[in-house]
Amino acid sequence: MSSLSSDDVANLARLARIQMSEEELVSFSNEFTVILNAVARVQEVAGADVEPTSHPLPLRNVFRPDVVVPSFTPKEALSGAPAQEESRFRVPQILGEEA
Amino acid sequence: MIRLSASEMAAKLANGETTSVELTQAHLDRIADVDTDVHAFLFVDTEGALAQAAAVDAKRAAGAKLAPLAGVPLALKDVMTQKGVPTTAGSKILEGWRPPYDSTVVTHLKNNDIVILGKTNMDEFAMGSSTENSAYGPTHNPWDLTRIPGGSSGGSSAALAAFEAPLAIGTDTGGSIRQPAAVTGTVGVKPTYGGVSRFGLIAFSSSLDQAGPCARSVLDAALLHEAIAGHDPKDSTSINAPVPQVVAAANSGDVKGMKIGVVKELNGDGYQSGVRTRFEESLELLAAAGAEIVEVSAPNFEYALAAYYLIAPSECSSNLARFDAMRYGLRVGDVDGASAESVMNLTREVGFGREVKRRIILGTYALSSGYYDAYYGSAQKVRTLITQDFNKAFEKCDVMVSPTCPTTAFKIGEKSNDPIAMYLNDIATIPVNMAGIGGMSLPSGLAPEDGLPVGFQIMAPAMADQRMYLVGAALEAALLTKWGAPLLSQAPVLAGK
């Protein structure tokens, strides 16, 4: 019987960078217990002798010629930016303040 | 005029009976009339569509050689980027975004002079089977406005059934083209994985996602299929091989001597009685057309749903990491001194809907250290077993068939609080995506008990898409003879304004 506590869900939400209310954590934890027990069925047939498939096509290292082609202008690249400054994306502070 | 098939419209354009501007305007008028009730569209590009139509008319007037569907209008699922046109994937996190580039599918549509009317509603990031997960409200099934039009390509299927467009583009990750087609009495095709480029298709589950044609007839779907398919250097997973000859197959419809394999596991318990009635009748019609009906078994299909709900969330948890509030889309909480991490957390809380969050968290769990082998790893092994089931079955038959969905369209709201019940809609469509092969759904009639459309699913080996069109065209012709008119002529007339 697999289950996820609301603390487990909180940790996963932190890893996935999604803020969640206490109420959401509890309801997700209840749902995940049901869903995980349904999907755990895959373990019944997944023997050690079965090769995993990650992709339907047997492709490896698809290359193309390294040719310079036209690309976005800075204006086009920034056209959807939530904030910009001097032809650059402006983002919130990423590193902590230096002492 | 709007009730004609796309190929009939194309013929009228070619012989000068109508113009693309006239045809496009007729569809824009229809949208203005009925879409308040249906809500198939998230954005109607009146100006862009009429400009494109005028340009095709000018080319035709100048005597240019045009593509088969030139001048015919189309509805585009909002998951495909179109330069300068709002593209949301049904999510608040992309509200107002206008992509700076065209998806390859859109490039093909434009090169074929197919007129793009606008963007259709969908479950957020294509996660759902009812279009109820759209952040912009549900789409209503034209057969009964209180019911779902299927999903995730529900806007595209509803637009076809409401005669708002004769052609549409959908995408199919676990059945998102075929199930909406089934419940709206339209035709939908998921081509072989890699048959149509994914460049500019906002990714949900990259190893499963596939764009494809939606239409009101098998021939129309084939014409659109050939217009959008083909190798694309911008998509490293697109297949570098000639496009299957699907138009020729749709025109032929010759199934004499073909072996049609009925999947033993995709019928019986859990399938509505009217769904089974219509399925059995279709088999009889195909046999009468000269096909040989055989039974095939796929014992691992019963694990497909469980494997899908591990693989798709795992891939989505990674794909949706790109919505980080930094380069495009929504940004919330960017106040003085706020960290990038807190802005991401707040933006994704507000920007994503419940089903999307549910799948991101589930995928994060399935891929996390200590659980990876038990969940994601096991699901990948099931994927191998399903592919082996298909390979073995295709030794005994040319195509495999089943009902597309276990039931007809359910009521809006009926399953929205029960994720597992909702996921069961896709039980017959998911195996196709897991193996990367082709699948088609076409209407097989109405269920006697509720008078709602039922879909017939045809599955063909990878890059043998033409076989689905052969069988689809044969069944469509036999049913048309029986009904005397297309199934959609039985749909209720929408009141409009």
Side-chain angles (χ1 to χ4, degrees), chain A residues 32-54:
Chain A
F32 285 136
T33 303
V34 177
I35 295 173
L36 283 177
N37 283 300
V39 297
R41 290 199 65 207
V42 292
Q43 293 156 13
E44 292 171 21
V45 284
D49 55 330
V50 182
E51 284 292 317
T53 299
S54 62

Side-chain angles (χ1 to χ4, degrees), chain A residues 2-4 9 12-21 24 27-28 31-32 34-36 38-57 59 62 64 72 76-83 89-94, chain B residues 83 97-98 100-101 193-194 207 236-237 239 300 302-303 306-307 309-310 315 325-329 331 334 338-341 343-346 348-349 352 354 357-358 360-362 364-365 374-375 378-385 419-420 423 435-436:
Chain A
S2 317
S3 71
L4 280 182
V9 178
L12 293 164
R14 187 184 58 78
L15 291 170
R17 302 285 185 267
I18 303 174
Q19 186 81 37
M20 275 193 195
S21 68
E24 247 181 327
S27 68
F28 271 129
E31 284 172 17
F32 285 136
V34 177
I35 295 173
L36 283 177
V39 297
R41 290 199 65 207
V42 292
Q43 293 156 13
E44 292 171 21
V45 284
D49 55 330
V50 182
E51 284 292 317
T53 299
S54 62
H55 201 271
L57 300 174
L59 294 168
V62 178
R64 61 168 171 77
F72 290 146
E76 286 171 323
L78 289 162
S79 64
F89 294 100
R90 195 186 65 72
V91 300
Q93 185 180 319
I94 290 169
Chain B
K83 190 174 177 177
W97 183 54
R98 290 177 186 253
Y101 72 105
Y193 180 87
S207 78
S236 61
T237 61
I239 293 174
N300 294 295
E302 66 169 298
Y303 300 97
Y309 280 98
L310 287 163
E315 292 189 13
M326 298 298 135
R327 293 149 301 154
Y328 55 98
R331 182 183 286 182
D334 189 9
S339 70
E341 190 177 330
V343 169
M344 281 182 210
N345 286 337
L346 292 169
R348 288 160 68 85
E349 177 188 28
F352 289 143
R354 191 171 169 83
K357 288 178 191 169
R358 185 187 282 134
I360 290 174
I361 300 293
L362 187 61
T364 305
Y365 176 72
Y375 289 103
S378 298
Q380 285 187 307
K381 290 181 175 183
V382 168
R383 197 165 180 178
T384 304
L385 296 171
I420 299 278
Y423 297 167

Side-chain angles (χ1 to χ4, degrees), chain B residues 54-73:
Chain B
V56 193
D57 287 340
K59 275 194 213 174
R60 199 183 302 272
K65 185 168 164 28
L66 298 173
L69 291 171
V72 179

Side-chain angles (χ1 to χ4, degrees), chain B residues 162-195:
Chain B
F163 299 96
E164 294 173 287
L167 297 168
I169 296 292
T171 60
D172 190 314
T173 304
S176 281
I177 286 176
R178 291 161 287 156
Q179 181 256 7
V183 299
T184 55
T186 58
V187 178
V189 178
K190 185 205 100 71
T192 295
Y193 180 87

Side-chain angles (χ1 to χ4, degrees), chain B residues 387-410:
Chain B
T387 305
Q388 288 170 353
D389 278 1
F390 272 118
N391 292 342
K392 273 182 211 151
F394 282 131
E395 286 171 9
K396 293 182 192 147
C397 60
D398 301 303
V399 296
M400 289 160 71
V401 296
S402 75
T404 310
C405 319
T407 68
T408 55
F410 49 88

